[in-house]
């Protein structure tokens, strides 16, 4: 549910700040922008999730409850690798693609 709220907020930001000439054009760059903003916001929200997940496996709680904890190490690695791939591959390619389309 929170992911959908983030996507809706990012689509609103994109629509609000887009150039008037790009209203129904350049869909691939818009998708990359929305996903990049979503990933940035989701990475900020991973911090409280990580803290709550570590508190679930504290010494005062039964150890069997740690089986149900989220794999935060893998989630952080996936978020950082996605950020790396976006920063060095998708965003530069999308910028050149958008700039090259000068019809």
């Amino acid at each position: 549910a929170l992911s959908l709220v983030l996507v809706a907020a990012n689509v609103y930001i994109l629509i609000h700040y887009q150039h008037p000439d790009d209203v129904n054009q350049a869909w691939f760059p818009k998708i990359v922008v929305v996903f990049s903003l979503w990933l940035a916001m989701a990475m900020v929200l991973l911090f409280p999730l990580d803290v709550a997940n570590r508190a679930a496996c504290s010494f005062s709680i039964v150890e069997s409850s740690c089986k149900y904890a989220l794999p935060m190490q893998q989630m952080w690695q996936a978020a950082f690798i996605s950020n790396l791939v976006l920063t060095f591959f998708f965003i530069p390619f999308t910028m050149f693609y958008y700039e090259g389309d000068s019809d």
Side-chain angles (χ1 to χ4, degrees), residues 15 25 35 56 93:
I15 290 171
Q25 298 175 0
F35 181 71
F93 171 75

Side-chain angles (χ1 to χ4, degrees), residues 26 43 57 66 68 77:
M43 284 184 72
C57 290
C66 290
Y68 304 112
Q77 287 178 353

Side-chain angles (χ1 to χ4, degrees), residues 8-18 37 41:
N10 292 326
V11 168
Y12 175 76
I13 290 170
L14 177 76
I15 290 171
H16 184 71
Y17 287 108
Q18 76 179 350
L37 288 172
M41 291 181 181

Side-chain angles (χ1 to χ4, degrees), residues 27-95:
W27 288 102
F28 180 68
K30 289 177 185 178
I31 291 170
V32 170
V33 166
V34 168
F35 181 71
S36 300
L37 288 172
W38 177 85
L39 184 63
M41 291 181 181
M43 284 184 72
V44 170
L45 293 175
L46 277 179
F47 288 114
L49 185 62
D50 194 6
V51 170
N53 199 35
R54 291 210 186 258
C57 290
S58 65
F59 293 115
S60 62
I61 298 177
V62 182
E63 192 163 328
S64 64
S65 67
C66 290
K67 292 189 291 191
Y68 304 112
L70 295 172
M72 291 305 296
Q73 183 73 25
Q74 289 83 6
M75 291 176 72
W76 277 113
Q77 287 178 353
F80 284 134
I81 290 171
S82 300
N83 198 356
L84 180 86
V85 168
L86 276 171
T87 301
F88 290 110
F89 297 109
F90 278 107
I91 293 175
F93 171 75
T94 305
M95 286 175 56

